[in-house]
Amino acid sequence: SHRIRQVKLHLGTIPAMEHSPLRSYGVDEHSGTSGVDGDTKQLSVEGCMLENKNPNVEVENPAVVPNLTSVEENSPMYSLTWLRLLTETCEQHVRILAAGDVLLKGFGQVIFCESCVTGLLFLAALFVTDIWLGLFGLAGCVGGSLTAFVSGFDADFVRKGLAGYNGVLVGCCFAVFLKPDGQPPWRTLTATLLGSIVQAFVTVSIGSMSNMPAWTFPFNLVALATLLTSQPLDHASAKQIDPALWSQVALSDVLAGVSRGTSQIFLASHWASGILVIVGAAWHSPVMAGSLVLASGIGFLAAFLMEAPTDQAVAGLWGFNPALVAAAVYHFFELNVHSATLMVWSALATAVLASGMTAALSRSFLVPPGTLPFCIMATLVFQLVGKVRGYRKRGLRGRSFVEACAACARTNVELE
């Protein structure tokens, strides 16, 4: 005679269906109400009565579902084991996708864009300029995000990519100024990972001091502390710079300089990288992309008015700090005539401030100022919220422009 054994399966709570395949296997189903909306039925599987067709086979641990190789293909246990393995595989893919989403948002958050598509385009922009720039930027984002996750930072803080964006800039900075030059990149990679770990804690510390964002202060702290030792501008500052020859600057140079002004946010010097940065910002918001281009153009104009060296202007070195300030104004201020005026004059003031800080730091300490001009100006501008007529703070967006348009289109279709 066949012996009946009761195998207890811990399958948790699963939605009940009208024709559930578990019914044919003798599963005891108890319907309940969902904790979400109360309309979704649930069942709690306490046990499953299975017939052991081979009386000579003993099941040592009935609480463990065996793998597929140890179960007959036509037996009920085969289907349940297959279902368990499929669920575990799906959960692993979900975790991988979630981790990728966090990393890409870390790239997007450099310019206040919480969008994985935007972050993907920013990452592609880095690889267009230099493969090491993309790899070290990715390593910095991974180091910062992983540090925040392991250290138990706020889950929403990590999910939005706020733990990794300064790490991206740390990696990009070290890829440019601590470039291996044909040697193994282990020293640069080690510096990037250590810097990304430090910036994660500094970001949380600065953010807890007030309701003001940390901006890129953590990046500047880590980068300048490292570069003050290596002094990368030693040879550059010794060169005699020729007077500006603006009469020889063509329209193509102006357009390339404006484009590079946006890509230099990531220390990328290729004009095509700037196009990708603008497109990525436009995915999040076309107005955001327009503000980047406008502020980069204002920086180029400031270089012309101050008769700066043309090679610096064409390289985009006068545009990235104003572009970051303009992005901050658009992100945190309600868009109106007053905030648009604020965007213009703050971008121009940032260009002038960056010029003075670049001259002082490059000559005295042989280091670039990084994004310190942006941090200083953004801090001053942020304090004007609610204190000047028209400077009103607006709610932060959770979806990109394209995603919002797609949601509106789906809503219209459903209403029709």
Side-chain angles (χ1 to χ4, degrees):
S1 61
H2 298 292
R3 291 179 299 174
I4 306 300
R5 301 185 60 88
Q6 182 175 4
V7 181
K8 294 184 178 181
L9 303 176
H10 183 67
L11 299 179
T13 304
I14 52 179
M17 296 180 289
E18 183 178 357
H19 302 288
S20 173
L22 297 177
R23 297 178 184 273
S24 60
Y25 301 142
V27 176
D28 298 330
E29 301 181 12
H30 306 283
S31 60
T33 56
S34 172
V36 179
D37 53 13
D39 296 330
T40 305
K41 293 184 178 180
Q42 298 178 339
L43 60 89
S44 175
V45 181
E46 298 293 342
C48 177
M49 299 298 295
L50 302 176
E51 181 179 0
N52 187 359
K53 296 183 179 181
N54 189 350
N56 297 323
V57 177
E58 294 289 342
V59 181
E60 297 182 357
N61 188 1
V64 178
V65 180
N67 53 36
L68 293 176
T69 58
S70 61
V71 182
E72 296 182 5
E73 184 174 358
N74 296 327
S75 66
M77 186 66 72
Y78 183 88
S79 300
L80 294 176
T81 307
W82 180 86
L83 179 62
R84 184 204 63 175
L85 295 177
L86 178 63
T87 303
E88 293 177 352
T89 303
C90 292
E91 289 177 352
Q92 292 175 359
H93 283 83
V94 168
R95 294 190 189 99
I96 294 174
L97 293 176
D101 182 74
V102 169
L103 295 179
L104 293 179
K105 284 183 179 179
F107 281 85
Q109 287 287 7
V110 175
I111 316 182
F112 309 102
C113 299
E114 187 187 339
S115 171
C116 57
V117 177
T118 299
L120 180 61
L121 291 172
F122 290 173
L123 178 60
L126 302 185
F127 280 105
V128 168
T129 296
D130 184 28
I131 186 173
W132 290 114
L133 191 66
L135 290 177
F136 284 118
L138 185 60
C141 189
V142 171
S145 301
L146 186 61
T147 299
F149 176 77
V150 174
S151 301
F153 289 10
D154 181 70
D156 193 54
F157 177 84
V158 179
R159 181 182 59 82
K160 291 181 178 181
L162 297 176
Y165 75 94
N166 276 294
V168 172
L169 295 178
V170 169
C172 293
C173 177
F174 290 171
V176 173
F177 294 107
L178 302 180
K179 199 171 183 180
D181 293 331
Q183 298 178 358
W186 304 120
R187 294 179 61 183
T188 307
L189 179 61
T190 302
T192 299
L193 293 177
L194 291 177
S196 64
I197 293 173
V198 173
Q199 66 80 26
F201 291 97
V202 175
T203 301
V204 175
S205 298
I206 295 178
S208 62
M209 293 179 183
S210 65
N211 61 345
M212 187 183 66
W215 309 120
T216 56
F217 276 118
F219 153 67
N220 287 286
L221 178 63
V222 173
L224 292 179
T226 305
L227 297 182
L228 282 172
T229 302
S230 61
Q231 295 182 334
L233 300 184
D234 187 10
H235 302 288
S237 61
K239 295 189 305 182
Q240 186 68 29
I241 300 177
D242 296 332
L245 301 176
W246 285 94
S247 60
Q248 301 178 3
V249 176
L251 178 60
S252 59
D253 296 327
V254 176
L255 297 178
V258 173
S259 176
R260 292 190 183 103
T262 60
S263 65
Q264 283 288 0
I265 296 173
F266 298 90
L267 288 86
S269 58
H270 200 285
W271 63 268
S273 299
I275 298 297
L276 287 175
V277 170
I278 295 171
V279 173
W283 176 276
H284 180 75
S285 170
V287 181
M288 171 71 81
S291 65
L292 291 176
V293 176
L294 174 64
S296 180
I298 292 175
F300 197 95
L301 177 62
F304 169 75
L305 295 176
M306 300 180 67
E307 295 184 350
T310 55
D311 56 345
Q312 294 183 6
V314 174
L317 299 179
W318 282 72
F320 68 94
N321 274 300
L324 281 173
V325 171
V329 171
Y330 168 74
H331 184 71
F332 290 104
F333 285 78
E334 184 179 309
L335 187 61
N336 52 39
V337 177
H338 302 280
S339 62
T341 305
L342 173 64
M343 184 183 298
V344 172
W345 74 254
S346 62
L348 183 59
T350 304
V352 176
L353 177 62
S355 173
M357 294 187 66
T358 300
L361 292 177
S362 62
R363 294 171 185 173
S364 301
F365 301 99
L366 305 179
V367 295
T371 57
L372 272 179
F374 152 68
C375 293
I376 295 173
M377 188 58 61
T379 301
L380 298 176
V381 168
F382 190 80
Q383 303 305 319
L384 299 177
V385 176
K387 298 179 177 62
V388 180
R389 184 179 62 183
Y391 293 174
R392 296 185 294 269
K393 186 177 181 179
R394 68 169 180 173
L396 303 183
R397 296 184 175 185
R399 293 186 297 184
S400 67
F401 173 78
V402 176
E403 292 169 345
C405 291
C408 292
R410 287 194 299 267
T411 303
N412 293 333
V413 171
E414 292 176 357
L415 291 177
E416 292 176 359

